[in-house]
Amino acid sequence: METAIELKGITKTYKGERQAAVCNVSLKVKKGSIITLLGPSGCGKTTTLRLIAGFERPESGEISIGGKLMAGEKTWVSAEKRKIGMVFQDYALFPHLNVEENIGFGYRGKDKKERVQEVLEMVNLLGFEHKGVHHLSGGQQQRVALARALAKRPEVILLDEPFSNLDTNLKQTMRNEVRRILKKANATGILVSHDQKDALAISDEIVVMKGGIIQQKGSPRKIYQFPNNAFVAGFVGESNMMEGTVEPGKRWIRTDIGRIPCNQYHIISEGEKILISLRPNGFQLAEDGEIEGNVETYSYVGEYLEARISVTTQKKEKTSLLVYLHPNETIQQGDLLKFRVSANFVSVVKN
Amino acid sequence: MIRRAPLKKRKISSFMGRVPPNPLLTVISILVALFMSIPIIYVGFRGIFAGSERWLRLLDGRIPQLLLNTLGLTAVVVFFSTVIGVSLAIAVTRCNVPGRKIFSWLLVLPLIIPPYVGAVTYIMIFGPMGPLGSWFQIYSFSGVAFVLTIFTYPYVFLVVRSALKRMNRNLEEAGRSLGLDNLGVFLKVNLPLLRPSIGAGAILVALYVLSDFGAISMLRYNTFTSAIYYQMGGYDNVSATILSLVLIILTVGVLWLEARVGRKTAYFQADSSYRTLEILDIGKWRYPLVGVILLVIGVTIIIPLGVILYWSWIGIARGALDGRFWGYLMNSLQVSLLAGGLSMVFAFPIVYLKSRYPSKFTTILQRLSYSGYALPGVIVALGIIFLFNRYIPVLYGSSFVIVIAYLIRFLPQSMQSSSASLEMIPPKIDEAARNLGEPFWKVIFKVILPLMLPGLFAGGALVFVSSMKELPATLLLRPPNFDTLAVRVWVEASEAVYHMAAPAALIIIIVSIVPIKFLLDKY
């Protein structure tokens, strides 16, 4: 596959800061894919985006877009000359222009009118050409911002926290919409988000960042089911962390609360002491389950039943597990439950 | 089914708002609003019915000439102060000019010098008796335009600077990501976004030029205000009314423009992801720019202040601070303090009603109280002379009419300030106090007034300072032998007794420092 964007060892330190906002980041983005830079605030995701856009200049490393070097030791292509479309967090629509003028802004081709119509159709806003942008709803404003970014057929579309200003229902719709539109335009999309749900729903690939460093990169499923460190496990969804020893055959991990199955035998060795992450979704109620405990607290949150289970370890100590059960189950405080664990939600985690 | 009130009742309630306002407060508000507006409305009324013969005579002769003078001066001053104000604002907010923080403060300072005082200082320099009298004819169109420009450009500067500071950086970056370079971003993103602010600043200047009397008359130029003044001096009040009506129409026209511009100022969204704007590196151009800024500061602040201090020093040495001088100061303080104090009392009822019971009715009350706002002092004086001469002759000829003129001219300043502080108190506070069982008046005195006291006092202080500076209405309405400092500056300067004018001017300048802080906070 063709590479749309490549970062090689990018480092950026802001003036007056001691710690680098982005530290030695390398990343390849396939053409036509959608990736999300995910992390808490201050993790360097926005800086990475601004570096790609050309609003910030890296102090070392190289950035290439579409195979052409944009930033390097001796190269610097300014923001307006990069073929990049950007969707800002607050959309940054020009308030003195209407929808059509906003979308056509900066478009130099002779087919301006047709192109504006084309992208308007893509974002389902035909008929809104002459509306003022402050008369639009949040979702419509975002569509206009996206259309404006797409109009020039850029190599890459950058989206800065695209869903943070929308309410929950609209958020879900716009996640699907943005994905549909980007795919239809065959554009490469890079999103920045602190919301794991956004990231899981929209991305082909997720890049989890913390402290200016990439923690893990992979498909949403891989990131969720097999986080490779404690930070990723805790940031993307919730997780039960525990230590264990790899049993002979490498299919089981022996822990304080019992045996846990594991698929990642290729990265562990017999007798090794490792840390594992167990997603709360990995537990199923089963009569013959090896793990048993009493219901400490539980709450019904609609999509599932969230329960804290108090388990007695082999050393006769109490430990507590977070478990998601099917919302159909009825449980009471104090009930003794038995669980089976699915290996698909067990991940070996580096310390 | 929803039962509807009878049509008539519904109409009244939609006019008055949902909750009927407190009756006593309403009555007071109505009285204040009428009191503030009747003199002006009366001038307009008299103007309309002045008789077609008079109208035709003036339309034939004086009005075209005055229109030319007034509009020409307004256009030139607005143009130059806008050019200066906008470029300086951009220079100190967006370019890497050394010392720009201090400059951005110093460039506002000319506002402490009332233009008529500024005119005096330049007469002292370029007047027939001045040291540079032969260099430049100050009693000319260019002289008036120069003086008004250098003392009004800070309005544009302030408004545009604050807009530049609040500009959303993402918009600039959006422009760049869409392929514009620095110049393109400035022309196609920044400038259109600044247009409402530039317009607002230009309108402030236009309103000022239309209403100025002091500087214009001192520099012996003739516009509507000075013409009205001299007509009244010649006891030709009918001609004065007709000219006033034309001037009112001009002013209302400008205010109408302002309302249109004002509707478009919602450009600056509160931006949650606020980041400080990029400062542009303009390389070696910084140094000539600093030179220009220093020149402006020299011409607008250092020279006028220097001249005033110099002549004050001479005046004091020659015994200008005699008993009579302190008498003028006492007169000034007496009427200005009274106006400031009363403005707080008068502003509260209307401001409270408008904020807590918003309706067409309270909006009309507020608008009526703004009648004298932006209107020239000579017109306010004319209205007061008409009414008091005819209906309350007892007051006419006492210093109290001056206080009334000040209130009519400056009450809106007090209303703006107290309304700003009232808006900070959420109506839920009133409701909480009522809910705890306190009656309406107790809530006002125990909760609302104490909370909005700073704003109320600030408004009173603004009115006080404006009153200290006020010239035209004071000149026309003062009882015999009741001179204020402003009047003395005008009289002494007209007779070229500069050492007597300067100490009074100095006091006015010192007093005028007070509202600068408010202006800086506001913009």
Side-chain angles (χ1 to χ4, degrees):
Chain A
M1 265 309 256
E2 220 179 313
T3 305
I5 290 194
E6 183 166 13
L7 310 188
K8 270 193 226 157
I10 290 293
T11 299
K12 167 79 190 175
T13 314
Y14 286 110
K15 249 187 211 166
E17 301 272 325
R18 294 174 99 203
Q19 218 188 341
V22 168
C23 187
N24 196 20
V25 161
S26 297
L27 185 65
K28 261 190 193 177
V29 182
K30 271 185 281 181
K31 195 168 160 64
S33 68
I34 300 174
I35 75 154
T36 300
L37 305 174
L38 177 68
S41 62
C43 74
K45 57 190 194 294
T46 303
T47 305
T48 309
L49 199 76
R50 294 176 59 78
L51 283 163
I52 297 171
F55 297 134
E56 309 285 351
R57 198 171 175 161
E59 63 221 39
S60 64
E62 286 181 354
I63 300 175
S64 317
I65 298 175
K68 282 182 219 116
L69 192 62
M70 292 288 140
E73 209 163 324
K74 285 173 190 142
T75 318
W76 173 247
V77 178
S78 60
E80 63 267 23
K81 298 203 180 90
R82 296 186 183 189
K83 286 186 175 163
I84 280 190
M86 178 134 178
V87 177
F88 291 83
Q89 184 174 8
D90 58 359
Y91 315 136
L93 298 178
F94 300 118
H96 57 295
L97 304 177
N98 65 23
V99 169
E100 190 178 22
E101 291 162 336
N102 257 288
I103 296 176
F105 191 93
Y107 191 83
R108 296 228 168 76
K110 279 198 183 124
D111 59 335
K112 187 162 169 175
K113 200 140 189 119
E114 294 80 55
R115 181 58 184 161
V116 169
Q117 289 298 313
E118 215 171 284
V119 287
L120 269 174
E121 193 185 347
M122 215 183 274
V123 300
N124 281 335
L125 277 182
L126 280 177
F128 284 73
E129 289 87 342
H130 302 294
K131 284 228 174 187
V133 289
H134 30 263
H135 297 305
L136 301 179
S137 69
Q140 290 167 339
Q141 290 190 10
Q142 185 166 50
R143 285 165 201 260
V144 175
L146 195 54
R148 184 176 70 179
L150 285 167
K152 287 204 306 178
R153 300 185 183 87
E155 299 266 353
V156 178
I157 300 270
L158 307 177
L159 300 102
D160 185 9
E161 298 275 2
F163 309 111
S164 64
N165 285 339
L166 303 174
D167 57 47
T168 322
N169 282 331
L170 196 54
K171 221 174 181 168
Q172 261 171 15
T173 322
M174 284 315 290
R175 273 186 211 136
N176 297 332
E177 272 295 279
V178 169
R179 190 174 162 86
R180 176 188 70 78
I181 293 165
L182 287 179
K183 289 293 175 193
K184 192 169 176 196
N186 198 20
T188 310
I190 301 185
L191 276 83
V192 150
S193 178
H194 63 271
D195 184 338
Q196 40 140 339
K197 278 192 182 163
D198 289 348
L200 294 171
I202 197 171
S203 326
D204 297 321
E205 202 168 42
I206 294 177
V207 177
V208 183
M209 294 184 73
K210 183 196 161 200
I213 295 167
I214 293 181
Q215 304 290 314
Q216 189 178 357
K217 216 175 84 179
S219 67
R221 181 181 293 271
K222 190 177 157 205
I223 294 279
Y224 187 76
Q225 293 187 347
F226 304 111
N228 65 8
N229 72 30
F231 171 76
V232 178
F235 188 76
V236 185
E238 289 186 89
S239 193
N240 300 293
M241 307 291 289
M242 60 195 68
E243 285 179 339
T245 315
V246 183
E247 292 208 328
K250 300 202 290 189
R251 297 294 166 145
W252 295 91
I253 316 289
R254 174 149 301 281
T255 71
D256 275 355
I257 60 165
R259 287 195 315 154
I260 310 281
C262 177
N263 284 343
Q264 295 173 299
Y265 44 85
H266 50 281
I267 56 166
I268 51 180
S269 47
E270 285 176 19
E272 190 185 358
K273 279 209 180 285
I274 56 170
L275 191 66
I276 56 170
S277 145
L278 245 132
R279 291 290 187 197
N281 328 51
F283 296 88
Q284 286 121 36
L285 283 175
E287 285 305 317
D288 58 348
E290 282 192 35
I291 293 165
E292 59 171 56
N294 299 89
V295 178
E296 223 171 65
T297 58
Y298 66 95
S299 51
Y300 179 78
V301 292
E303 291 117 344
Y304 50 82
L305 196 66
E306 187 182 309
R308 282 241 158 239
I309 307 294
S310 167
V311 182
T312 310
T313 66
Q314 285 156 341
K315 294 175 197 152
K316 303 291 169 213
E317 287 165 41
K318 293 267 179 193
T319 183
S320 133
L321 287 177
L322 182 69
V323 168
Y324 296 162
L325 297 173
H326 194 276
N328 222 5
E329 304 287 350
T330 46
I331 55 173
Q332 296 291 323
Q333 203 171 350
D335 280 359
L336 182 71
L337 303 177
K338 288 185 173 179
F339 300 98
R340 199 160 47 201
V341 176
S342 156
N344 284 337
F345 292 91
V346 177
S347 177
V348 179
V349 156
K350 285 175 233 151
N351 255 339
Chain B
M1 212 176 107
I2 302 158
R3 271 184 55 204
R4 294 200 152 189
L7 190 65
K8 203 173 169 192
K9 240 186 188 169
R10 256 198 295 146
K11 268 194 174 157
I12 291 177
S13 74
S14 88
F15 179 71
M16 298 283 283
R18 272 185 305 121
V19 197
N22 177 283
L24 187 52
L25 214 54
T26 311
V27 171
I28 297 174
S29 303
I30 294 174
L31 287 178
V32 171
L34 289 178
F35 177 72
M36 301 296 296
S37 53
I38 283 182
I40 310 294
I41 294 170
Y42 195 64
V43 170
F45 179 77
R46 290 281 291 258
I48 293 169
F49 298 104
S52 53
E53 191 195 328
R54 272 298 179 85
W55 268 100
L56 287 175
R57 215 171 69 208
L58 284 169
L59 279 173
D60 229 20
R62 298 208 60 195
I63 291 179
Q65 181 59 43
L66 285 174
L67 270 178
L68 198 66
N69 280 3
T70 309
L71 294 180
L73 182 67
T74 310
V76 168
V77 174
V78 165
F79 175 78
F80 283 107
S81 54
T82 305
V83 170
I84 297 174
V86 172
S87 15
L88 289 179
I90 292 168
V92 299
T93 46
R94 300 303 302 276
C95 301
N96 61 339
V97 176
R100 55 200 185 82
K101 291 247 164 67
I102 300 166
F103 286 148
S104 84
W105 194 80
L106 283 174
L107 287 169
V108 184
L109 271 192
L111 288 180
I112 66 170
I113 301 174
Y116 65 86
V117 173
V120 173
T121 64
Y122 276 96
I123 292 172
M124 288 170 178
I125 299 171
F126 292 113
M129 292 167 63
L132 304 180
S134 53
W135 288 29
F136 177 62
Q137 175 53 265
I138 190 78
Y139 295 122
S140 65
F141 179 81
S142 17
V144 187
F146 167 74
V147 167
L148 286 179
T149 301
I150 62 171
F151 294 109
T152 54
Y153 87 84
Y155 290 119
V156 182
F157 174 79
L158 263 178
V159 178
V160 173
R161 190 190 61 166
S162 86
L164 275 165
K165 278 189 188 164
R166 282 178 298 154
M167 196 162 273
N168 185 345
R169 182 170 175 176
N170 284 352
L171 290 173
E172 291 182 15
E173 291 186 346
R176 292 223 273 139
S177 80
L178 293 167
L180 298 185
D181 55 9
N182 279 337
L183 186 67
V185 168
F186 178 73
L187 292 178
K188 292 182 84 176
V189 179
N190 288 341
L191 214 52
L193 290 173
L194 281 181
R195 215 164 49 198
S197 321
I198 296 174
I203 279 164
L204 283 177
V205 174
L207 286 175
Y208 185 79
V209 177
L210 285 181
S211 73
D212 181 77
F213 164 76
I216 286 171
S217 66
M218 271 180 192
L219 294 167
R220 302 183 191 163
Y221 192 68
N222 211 7
T223 62
F224 274 101
T225 48
S226 53
I228 294 164
Y229 178 81
Y230 291 115
Q231 295 289 3
M232 289 170 71
Y235 297 103
D236 184 357
N237 283 352
V238 184
S239 300
T241 344
I242 291 175
L243 297 181
S244 297
L245 187 56
V246 179
L247 184 51
I248 290 175
I249 292 168
L250 284 183
T251 311
V252 169
V254 175
L255 287 171
W256 177 78
L257 274 179
E258 184 191 29
R260 288 198 40 180
V261 170
R263 239 178 278 148
K264 286 192 173 175
T265 43
Y267 277 5
F268 302 97
Q269 309 122 305
D271 181 10
S272 53
S273 58
Y274 181 79
R275 281 166 299 132
T276 44
L277 287 162
E278 217 178 340
I279 303 290
L280 216 60
D281 188 351
I282 53 166
K284 59 178 190 292
W285 287 99
R286 298 185 289 164
Y287 302 106
L289 200 54
V290 170
V292 172
I293 293 174
L294 286 176
L295 180 72
V296 171
I297 292 173
V299 167
T300 57
I301 282 291
I302 296 171
I303 292 177
L305 280 186
V307 171
I308 289 286
L309 284 171
Y310 170 76
W311 280 105
S312 297
W313 184 64
I314 293 181
I316 292 166
R318 292 193 196 160
L321 304 185
D322 55 4
R324 284 193 312 166
F325 179 86
W326 298 119
Y328 305 142
L329 177 61
M330 288 316 289
N331 287 346
S332 273
L333 287 176
Q334 181 200 326
V335 280
S336 304
L337 282 173
L338 202 53
L342 283 177
S343 79
M344 304 196 307
V345 179
F346 281 20
F348 176 76
I350 297 182
V351 164
Y352 186 81
L353 281 189
K354 176 79 176 55
S355 155
R356 296 312 199 234
Y357 306 98
S359 67
K360 277 183 198 147
F361 169 69
T362 48
T363 308
I364 290 173
L365 285 187
Q366 187 213 26
R367 293 269 164 80
L368 281 177
S369 339
Y370 269 66
S371 310
Y373 193 51
L375 275 189
V378 282
I379 295 180
V380 174
L382 187 61
I384 290 177
I385 289 173
F386 276 146
L387 284 177
F388 284 73
N389 226 349
R390 180 171 292 189
Y391 301 108
I392 326 177
V394 190
L395 282 181
Y396 188 68
S398 81
S399 61
F400 197 68
V401 283
I402 305 180
V403 177
I404 292 170
Y406 292 170
L407 282 173
I408 293 175
R409 287 201 73 189
F410 306 131
L411 187 69
Q413 296 178 358
S414 178
M415 287 171 60
Q416 282 173 348
S417 170
S418 37
S419 137
S421 67
L422 181 60
E423 294 305 334
M424 309 261 275
I425 310 168
K428 293 230 163 61
I429 295 277
D430 305 36
E431 286 163 10
R434 297 290 289 277
N435 177 258
L436 293 168
E438 293 285 19
F440 182 79
W441 286 106
K442 268 198 158 172
V443 174
I444 298 276
F445 282 105
K446 285 176 69 178
V447 182
I448 302 301
L449 280 175
L451 282 173
M452 62 184 285
L453 217 50
L456 216 51
F457 271 118
L462 285 178
V463 173
F464 167 76
V465 174
S466 299
S467 305
M468 288 290 284
K469 298 197 290 194
E470 211 282 342
L471 181 64
T474 320
L475 271 176
L476 286 164
L477 293 174
R478 72 204 155 112
N481 298 324
F482 188 90
D483 285 4
T484 62
L485 292 176
V487 170
R488 285 325 287 180
V489 173
W490 196 77
V491 171
E492 307 281 13
S494 309
E495 291 163 11
V497 194
Y498 300 142
H499 70 277
M500 297 295 280
L506 189 60
I507 291 187
I508 290 174
I509 290 175
I510 293 170
V511 171
S512 307
I513 293 173
V514 176
I516 288 291
K517 192 190 149 333
F518 295 116
L519 271 175
L520 286 175
D521 287 350
K522 192 176 165 192
Y523 292 108

